Amino acid sequence: MNENKENNYIKSDFIKPYFSTVKERWHHLLSKYFNDDGNLSEIFTTKTNCPHCTCHDFKEKFELNKFIHQTCINCDCVYVSPRLNDSALEELYSDDYYSELYATSMIPFFERRKKLIGINKFNQTISHFSKINIFPSQINVLDIGAGVGEVICTFQDQGFNCEATEMNKKAVSFLRSKQIIVFDGIFDDFPEKNKYDIIMAWGVVEHVINPKNFLNKAFRLLNDEGIFVSEVPNSQSLLVDYCRENKKDPTRILMGEQHILLYSISAYEELHTKSGFEKIHIQTNGLDLETILSIEKQNAINDNLVLNLQKQIDLYMKGDLIRGFWKKKSNIKF
């Protein structure tokens, strides 16, 4: 397959056009969770310890869009407390909140997203997959929380046997229009009747209320020689450090209404290894500089310079997303 070169400069506006307009609409949709004084209503929130290690102590905190982000003193994860409660979160993922994103900023640019995101993720996943010599039609692929499906549809284009899970009705309808088999609901309810050679969770685990159960189930669904791929926001990224210090809203990554936990590198690894996975490869994959420049409305910097600096940021594992590829440890069951 011809790959969109990794050294091409990608801006967030390329993959989510009109996202600022969507965010404005989201503020309106979220307003019912806030009191007249602009603060989160206790009716719709719950206070929590660190969702990763359950520690109740934090070393620093900052407020962004009325959500309090705390940095765990034990594991360096960044988590939101108080956060929206479980019923409010489920409502967001299945209703108008995400439908607005899909209808305005993602579905109309689906082919562009496949070219800029789907092909790259496909190629990288396959490069770490040990069963590549098997015919694609014999390889079962599951994309958890597939959204509009720029990744799973890329696998389908190459002849793989593809399935997805998704909660949002608009995204489910779009996936089915692309002939993807879709389970319409939460991953907790997904039946465990089949095994998969490739399981993916791109930008999903940071939304999950019980990530340990989520990873254990992914482990059970994965074939012994399969590969599990996950990507989560990085609590130790340059972007988070910058926004923490300067109280700036990046409009992505630090999204307290839905990203209830941002993982440190060590916590991300621990989460997977405790669920029976063995690391194949971990990297960061960031748009830190592009996002910071956008926040500060600085557009006169050479794209190649931004790209090269971002490569150095990722070498130091300070990019805003952590991407990991995992295989099963032997003789472990969940």
Side-chain angles (χ1 to χ4, degrees):
M1 163 175 283
N2 291 327
E3 180 179 359
N4 180 55
K5 293 182 179 179
E6 288 191 13
N7 63 351
N8 284 350
Y9 180 50
I10 298 177
K11 297 184 179 182
S12 56
D13 283 347
F14 291 176
I15 54 180
K16 286 185 181 178
Y18 309 125
F19 189 56
S20 59
T21 302
V22 173
K23 288 285 285 186
E24 290 175 6
R25 172 64 176 155
W26 281 359
H27 286 308
H28 173 72
L29 293 172
L30 287 167
S31 62
K32 65 181 178 181
Y33 301 123
F34 291 82
N35 295 320
D36 292 339
D37 61 6
N39 293 313
L40 281 167
S41 169
E42 292 184 0
I43 298 173
F44 300 107
T45 60
T46 182
K47 292 184 178 180
T48 179
N49 295 336
C50 174
H52 176 70
C53 69
T54 71
C55 178
H56 66 274
D57 291 326
F58 56 90
K59 57 186 177 183
E60 56 191 349
K61 66 179 181 178
F62 64 99
E63 181 177 310
L64 195 61
N65 296 325
K66 298 298 182 179
F67 289 94
I68 304 298
H69 293 76
Q70 301 178 164
T71 304
C72 178
I73 197 169
N74 180 55
C75 69
D76 285 320
C77 288
V78 172
Y79 63 98
V80 174
S81 183
R83 65 165 175 82
L84 293 178
N85 60 31
D86 297 1
S87 58
L89 287 173
E90 185 171 345
E91 183 179 51
L92 287 182
Y93 300 141
S94 60
D95 211 339
D96 292 342
Y97 182 84
Y98 265 85
S99 295
E100 185 80 16
L101 170 65
Y102 295 139
T104 304
S105 190
M106 297 179 77
I107 290 175
F109 304 94
F110 174 73
E111 293 300 327
R112 180 194 295 180
R113 291 180 62 83
K114 279 178 66 177
K115 181 179 179 182
L116 295 177
I117 300 174
I119 291 175
N120 177 272
K121 289 181 176 178
F122 169 84
N123 284 330
Q124 192 173 24
T125 300
I126 291 302
S127 73
H128 293 296
F129 183 52
S130 62
K131 296 171 65 177
I132 187 57
N133 292 325
I134 297 176
F135 290 109
S137 61
Q138 298 177 9
I139 299 175
N140 296 325
V141 184
L142 176 65
D143 193 352
I144 305 168
V148 299
E150 65 273 358
V151 182
I152 195 66
C153 287
T154 304
F155 277 86
Q156 181 173 258
D157 290 347
Q158 299 301 310
F160 290 77
N161 183 24
C162 295
E163 296 182 43
T165 78
E166 178 53 49
M167 292 176 59
N168 184 270
K169 303 297 184 184
K170 187 174 289 291
V172 168
S173 178
F174 184 77
L175 286 164
R176 287 176 175 161
S177 76
K178 298 294 183 181
Q179 286 73 55
I180 298 292
I181 298 170
V182 187
F183 176 79
D184 180 0
I186 62 174
F187 184 56
D188 285 349
D189 296 334
F190 183 73
E192 298 187 33
K193 61 183 181 181
N194 297 321
K195 293 282 190 177
Y196 299 89
D197 302 289
I198 298 172
I199 299 178
M200 304 179 292
W202 303 101
V204 175
V205 181
E206 67 270 21
H207 301 264
V208 174
I209 295 165
N210 194 326
K212 295 178 178 66
N213 286 351
F214 181 96
L215 268 291
N216 290 347
K217 183 166 186 173
F219 183 93
R220 294 193 300 270
L221 289 168
L222 189 66
N223 274 326
D224 288 344
E225 296 181 4
I227 183 173
F228 176 65
V229 188
S230 65
E231 186 169 77
V232 299
N234 181 6
S235 69
Q236 298 168 306
S237 67
L238 174 67
L239 179 60
V240 171
D241 289 346
Y242 182 85
C243 292
R244 179 194 289 116
E245 180 68 24
N246 294 281
K247 308 300 186 292
K248 299 286 187 177
D249 181 7
T251 73
R252 51 185 295 271
I253 305 298
L254 289 165
M255 304 169 73
E257 72 279 7
Q258 52 175 307
H259 289 178
I260 58 179
L261 178 65
L262 280 64
Y263 286 88
S264 65
I265 300 290
S266 61
Y268 172 77
E269 290 199 40
E270 182 181 54
L271 173 68
H272 288 72
T273 56
K274 283 189 173 181
S275 294
F277 290 104
E278 181 180 343
K279 179 174 64 176
I280 299 172
H281 172 71
I282 291 180
Q283 66 181 66
T284 69
N285 190 66
L287 290 175
D288 302 74
L289 279 181
E290 189 276 329
T291 305
I292 292 169
L293 293 172
S294 177
I295 294 170
E296 302 296 351
K297 297 181 171 54
Q298 300 293 320
N299 300 314
I301 298 177
N302 182 274
D303 288 352
N304 286 329
L305 175 60
V306 174
L307 175 62
N308 289 329
L309 289 173
Q310 185 67 53
K311 285 182 178 180
Q312 297 303 310
I313 291 169
D314 286 324
L315 284 175
Y316 287 110
M317 299 294 282
K318 293 286 286 183
D320 56 55
L321 293 173
I322 309 170
R323 181 180 297 181
F325 301 84
W326 305 87
K327 62 182 179 181
K328 276 188 168 184
K329 296 177 185 176
S330 59
N331 301 320
I332 295 181
K333 297 183 183 298
F334 285 94

